[in-house]
Amino acid sequence: MSQSSKEKNPAWRYGERVNEKNTNILCIFCNKITTGGIYRFKYHLIGGDRNVTSCPKCPPEVREEIKNFVEKKKELKNQMVHQPMVTNLDDDDDDDIEELSLPTKRGRDGSSHGSSTKIRAFARWVYDAGLPFNCVNYDTFGDFIEAVGQYGPGMKPPTYHEIKGPYLNKEVEETNKIIEEHKVVWNKYGCSIMMDKWTTRTEKMIINVLVNSPGGSLFLESIDASDSSTDHIKMFTLFQNTIEKIGPRKVVQVVTDNASENVKAGCMIEGAYKNVYWTPCAAHCINLMFGDIFKERPFSTVFGQGVRLYSYISQRPLLLNMMRRFTMQKSLVKPGKTRFATAFLTLSSLHCQKDNLRKMVTSED
């Protein structure tokens, strides 16, 4: 790596490479070694990335500096899409792609036929494989595109057996490394067990178990509870098994919703482990509070009117399209993190669109 690369990328001032390939970098603040090159090390300093452990000792001014640097680079890369000839924005060996957009035949609208055809080929593969469209929103999709761009023409796709075997094994090894990194934080600071019970579209009851600590949240396992009732004894057994799996000395609290079986199981946990507390989920508490508010007048009356109004519109496609014309394509439903938060936001949207809705119902249409 050239000296100019270090000067252009400020992240190198706060990390030291451990090997010659620059893939392992030692943080000068927390002495943690980050794998994956300078790209992952930048997000180690910035924090908030689910795939990279955040640095607990990074100064705020350094975090802001690296964050601004990353945002500026993203802006430059976006600008390159509209430039026919751009080469080597900077020399961040492991981080950035050396971009070279060759001139291609353009249509009358100025678009590039070559680029459009390649993107359509990728989209066709997504359709053929039946992948969900939001797969392009994953962070790993950006990594994949960068890897293809860096390789250049002639890249051979992996075979079925490579995806099923060696590459899958490598991902499992990488995931285990991330788990071990989290365990180090659990040993030092302790952790919280979080359990979320939900029902799928096929009426399956699933309990997701996560572990949260200053190092971030880690998904531990999912438990299918469809074939058995989740009374307080069985929930206590689940709590206890998870605590023992992690280690009782590392667990600070168990966080669940306020269902009656969880309340009883939580009291049993506090009796069995003197250092472990049961904590009700704050979001669920707020949701229950909102629910109680909607039971009182005049809130219950207004809420009922809002539900009937939106139900009447949404069940009639022609009327729904008409509403969108009058509201300038804005939807009345505003999703929130909880069901009753969504209800509040939707009522607020109805209030904001009151004049447009009145114009709609008094129109000749």
Side-chain angles (χ1 to χ4, degrees):
M1 181 182 58
S2 63
Q3 183 64 27
S4 60
S5 299
K6 284 192 174 184
E7 292 175 355
K8 290 183 178 180
N9 192 332
W12 281 111
R13 296 201 295 268
Y14 311 110
E16 300 176 359
R17 59 179 182 175
V18 179
N19 57 8
E20 294 181 357
K21 295 182 179 180
N22 302 324
T23 56
N24 296 341
I25 301 175
L26 175 68
C27 177
I28 65 172
F29 299 117
C30 65
N31 293 325
K32 171 184 164 46
I33 296 178
T34 302
T35 60
I38 193 66
Y39 178 85
R40 289 174 68 93
F41 179 67
K42 286 190 297 189
Y43 287 95
H44 167 69
L45 296 175
I46 295 173
D49 191 287
R50 62 182 178 182
N51 298 316
V52 185
T53 302
S54 304
C55 177
K57 298 181 180 180
C58 180
E61 59 272 15
V62 173
R63 184 174 290 110
E64 191 66 24
E65 176 190 8
I66 304 301
K67 183 178 179 181
N68 292 336
F69 174 77
V70 171
E71 291 176 351
K72 287 181 180 179
K73 284 185 62 57
K74 286 182 179 178
E75 291 179 5
L76 289 174
K77 286 184 178 181
N78 290 334
Q79 293 173 7
M80 287 195 302
V81 176
H82 306 288
Q83 297 177 5
M85 291 291 290
V86 182
T87 59
N88 197 14
L89 266 180
D90 54 39
D91 302 315
D92 251 359
D93 294 356
D94 296 311
D95 183 17
D96 302 304
I97 307 171
E98 194 168 278
E99 304 252 0
L100 177 60
S101 302
L102 297 177
T104 56
K105 293 182 179 180
R106 295 180 175 270
R108 294 179 181 178
D109 59 350
S111 62
S112 170
H113 290 300
S115 176
S116 176
T117 302
K118 293 173 183 176
I119 294 175
R120 284 179 58 197
F122 170 79
R124 191 178 299 117
W125 171 72
V126 171
Y127 307 147
D128 193 33
L131 298 177
F133 297 151
N134 67 342
C135 68
V136 299
N137 295 329
Y138 285 86
D139 295 337
T140 47
F141 176 71
D143 298 338
F144 158 68
I145 293 298
E146 285 197 5
V148 174
Q150 288 176 340
Y151 192 96
M155 180 178 181
K156 294 181 180 180
T159 65
Y160 169 81
H161 295 288
E162 287 175 333
I163 290 290
K164 183 181 178 181
Y167 292 143
L168 178 59
N169 292 335
K170 288 180 180 179
E171 285 301 310
V172 172
E173 292 176 3
E174 187 67 24
T175 301
N176 288 334
K177 288 180 182 178
I178 295 174
I179 293 175
E180 292 302 319
E181 293 173 359
H182 279 268
K183 286 183 178 179
V184 172
V185 181
W186 300 348
N187 288 329
K188 187 175 182 179
Y189 299 104
C191 63
S192 300
I193 298 173
M194 302 186 299
M195 295 192 179
D196 178 31
K197 183 168 61 177
W198 60 288
T199 305
T200 67
R201 293 180 179 178
T202 57
E203 301 303 320
K204 262 193 172 185
M205 183 180 291
I206 304 295
I207 301 176
N208 289 337
V209 182
L210 300 94
V211 185
N212 179 265
S213 70
S217 294
L218 177 73
F219 174 79
L220 194 63
E221 61 180 336
S222 279
I223 298 169
D224 188 349
S226 304
D227 298 331
S228 61
S229 60
T230 53
D231 58 20
H232 68 282
I233 299 297
K234 291 180 179 177
M235 291 307 298
F236 169 75
T237 303
L238 175 58
F239 294 172
Q240 189 175 41
N241 291 340
T242 307
I243 291 172
E244 293 296 333
K245 183 182 297 184
I246 295 173
R249 292 183 175 274
K250 304 173 190 175
V251 179
V252 177
Q253 62 179 345
V254 177
V255 182
T256 69
D257 61 35
N258 296 277
S260 58
E261 64 269 18
N262 289 335
V263 176
K264 294 178 181 178
C267 293
M268 294 171 67
I269 283 292
E270 290 182 346
Y273 301 94
K274 300 303 180 183
N275 62 303
V276 179
Y277 297 89
W278 172 77
T279 305
C281 173
H284 190 240
C285 289
I286 294 174
N287 201 39
L288 294 176
M289 291 166 60
F290 283 167
D292 289 340
I293 290 174
F294 279 131
K295 293 177 183 177
E296 302 294 329
R297 293 188 177 184
F299 306 108
S300 59
T301 304
V302 174
F303 179 61
Q305 291 173 344
V307 169
R308 288 195 297 273
L309 172 61
Y310 183 74
S311 297
Y312 183 85
I313 295 174
S314 62
Q315 291 173 6
R316 294 163 174 78
L318 292 177
L319 185 57
L320 182 62
N321 290 331
M322 182 188 298
M323 180 210 73
R324 288 170 178 163
R325 291 202 309 270
F326 278 87
T327 60
M328 308 303 176
Q329 301 302 319
K330 292 183 179 179
S331 176
L332 296 180
V333 174
K334 301 293 183 182
K337 290 187 177 181
T338 65
R339 179 165 59 94
F340 285 108
T342 297
F344 268 107
L345 294 172
T346 301
L347 287 175
S348 175
S349 179
L350 284 169
H351 179 71
C352 292
Q353 295 292 339
K354 179 175 62 176
D355 292 339
N356 290 329
L357 292 173
R358 283 176 173 172
K359 290 177 183 178
M360 180 186 75
V361 298
T362 57
S363 66
E364 294 182 358
D365 293 339

